[in-house]
Amino acid sequence: MTAFTSPTPYDGSSRPFTIGLKPIDPAEWIAPADNLEAMLAEKDRLNCEIPDLVFVEERGTREAQGELRDLLAAHLLECQPALYRRDGNAISVDGFRTVELADTGRAPLLAAAGLVADDLVLMRKDDNGWRLVAASLCFPSSWTLSEKFGRPLQQIHTPVPGFGEGTRTADVIQRIFDNLQPGQPVIRWNWSLQADRALYKPLSSVQRDERAAARPPRFADGAASAFIRVERQTLRKLPVSGDIVFTIRIDLDPMSALKTHPDGTRLAAGLAAQLAALDSAQVDYKGFGADRDRLIADLKQVAAG
């Protein structure tokens, strides 16, 4: 992974455990990825080795999946013409792969996911609210697709402090989904910490509860062994089906690179302040309760120059 190719929301510009959604230019819906070939190769591996863990779909969603595939293909051809070219019913991706758009033997969502580094999640509204009805999720950030599949937003967000069913935040998110307009994507950023470069980082609710109770140390060498996992998340309503696609793009920044980054002192100070501001429930959710003090100390040392 190339360090700091993505924005740095952990500097304080995007506070954790807030909604933080903002409109973006539709041309910026999907951001180019410098490591696109490696990301798509990892998707291929996961879809081959553990297909049932990284892809789900309800019956009756194929038409909306196709709508998403076609919308995404048109967007990429228009907004990233140097990377994507049409070849009949196929899209050539930067010259290293070809994705067939009219493959009737394959879920359209998988074809769409084979074009971009982002994971793609399809949400549909019914009497239970907005539910997760299909997803290609190869790079989960400490959650498990099988536990969220078919569930409404309020239940999906239950483990997140302040976001569960019955909270004001949950009600606000519901209204945002209801009021989202086709053609106007919105964006938010999230970050977490991990001790390796793995992109596939699932975590079940049982594992999360066990981790919160035990608070095991995860960063043996403090900041030297930590990676900052940045999530670029967007929402966009599909104009025909009315379903909403949730995109998630992952980038990893090694925390050690802050020492040589030209803006490293500011970034380190911002991240240290964010870590210090988290309450105990938020720290347990993020999973670095045993390491927070050392990480803050290391970051302050970098910030001091």
Side-chain angles (χ1 to χ4, degrees):
M1 299 288 175
T2 302
F4 302 100
T5 57
S6 65
T8 54
Y10 46 84
D11 63 359
S13 58
S14 181
R15 290 174 50 232
F17 299 99
T18 59
I19 298 173
L21 282 167
K22 300 176 182 178
I24 55 170
D25 186 329
E28 299 174 0
W29 174 36
I30 301 295
D34 291 339
N35 58 346
L36 180 60
E37 186 170 2
M39 296 285 276
L40 292 180
E42 180 65 359
K43 283 190 178 186
D44 290 343
R45 183 186 72 82
L46 292 165
N47 279 308
C48 179
E49 295 180 2
I50 51 172
D52 293 339
L53 299 182
V54 296
F55 177 74
V56 294
E57 61 174 340
E58 285 189 359
R59 294 185 57 157
T61 62
R62 286 284 177 104
E63 190 170 346
Q65 290 182 43
E67 182 186 2
L68 167 57
R69 176 202 59 204
D70 296 344
L71 178 68
L72 181 61
H75 169 84
L76 296 171
L77 290 167
E78 178 182 356
C79 299
Q80 299 181 37
L83 293 177
Y84 298 92
R85 297 173 186 263
R86 180 176 287 278
D87 182 11
N89 286 325
I91 299 290
S92 172
V93 184
D94 202 21
F96 66 82
R97 75 160 53 199
T98 299
V99 176
E100 293 289 340
L101 299 181
D103 184 355
T104 57
R106 190 183 192 201
L109 188 57
L110 286 173
L115 293 169
V116 293
D118 309 58
D119 281 331
L120 304 174
V121 178
L122 202 62
M123 307 292 295
R124 173 170 293 176
K125 189 174 184 182
D126 60 19
D127 292 342
N128 294 313
W130 289 95
R131 294 190 307 107
L132 194 164
V133 295
S136 172
L137 185 82
C138 290
F139 311 134
S141 298
S142 298
W143 57 288
T144 303
L145 185 55
S146 60
E147 289 187 347
K148 310 299 184 182
F149 181 41
R151 296 193 175 188
L153 278 170
Q154 294 90 338
Q155 293 181 19
I156 289 173
H157 288 142
T158 293
V160 185
F163 278 68
E165 193 167 4
T167 64
R168 178 182 176 278
T169 304
D171 292 339
V172 172
I173 293 173
Q174 184 77 26
R175 289 197 296 273
I176 289 172
F177 271 65
D178 288 342
N179 295 327
L180 192 63
Q181 297 300 307
Q184 180 54 74
V186 293
I187 191 171
R188 73 181 296 267
W189 298 90
N190 194 22
W191 62 267
S192 56
L193 303 179
Q194 62 185 65
D196 56 37
R197 291 183 176 271
L199 291 166
Y200 180 64
K201 300 292 286 186
L203 191 72
S204 70
S205 57
V206 171
Q207 290 171 325
R208 185 184 300 282
D209 290 344
E210 290 175 345
R211 187 179 71 178
R215 289 195 164 192
R218 296 169 56 205
F219 307 100
D221 298 319
S225 59
F227 290 82
I228 311 165
R229 185 180 180 100
V230 176
E231 298 175 60
R232 181 187 189 271
Q233 304 176 354
T234 75
L235 296 172
R236 183 167 187 169
K237 180 169 283 188
L238 301 178
V240 178
S241 64
D243 292 349
I244 289 176
V245 57
F246 173 41
T247 75
I248 313 163
R249 156 79 175 277
I250 302 297
D251 284 288
L252 294 175
D253 295 340
M255 196 181 288
S256 59
L258 291 171
K259 293 180 179 180
T260 56
H261 191 280
D263 200 22
T265 56
R266 182 186 66 83
L267 295 175
L271 180 53
Q274 292 227 49
L275 290 174
L278 297 177
D279 63 32
S280 59
Q282 294 168 340
V283 168
D284 286 340
Y285 178 82
K286 293 283 190 183
F288 42 73
D291 304 282
R292 175 163 65 165
D293 290 347
R294 179 173 181 182
L295 290 171
I296 290 174
D298 289 350
L299 288 164
K300 285 183 175 180
Q301 187 174 16
V302 174

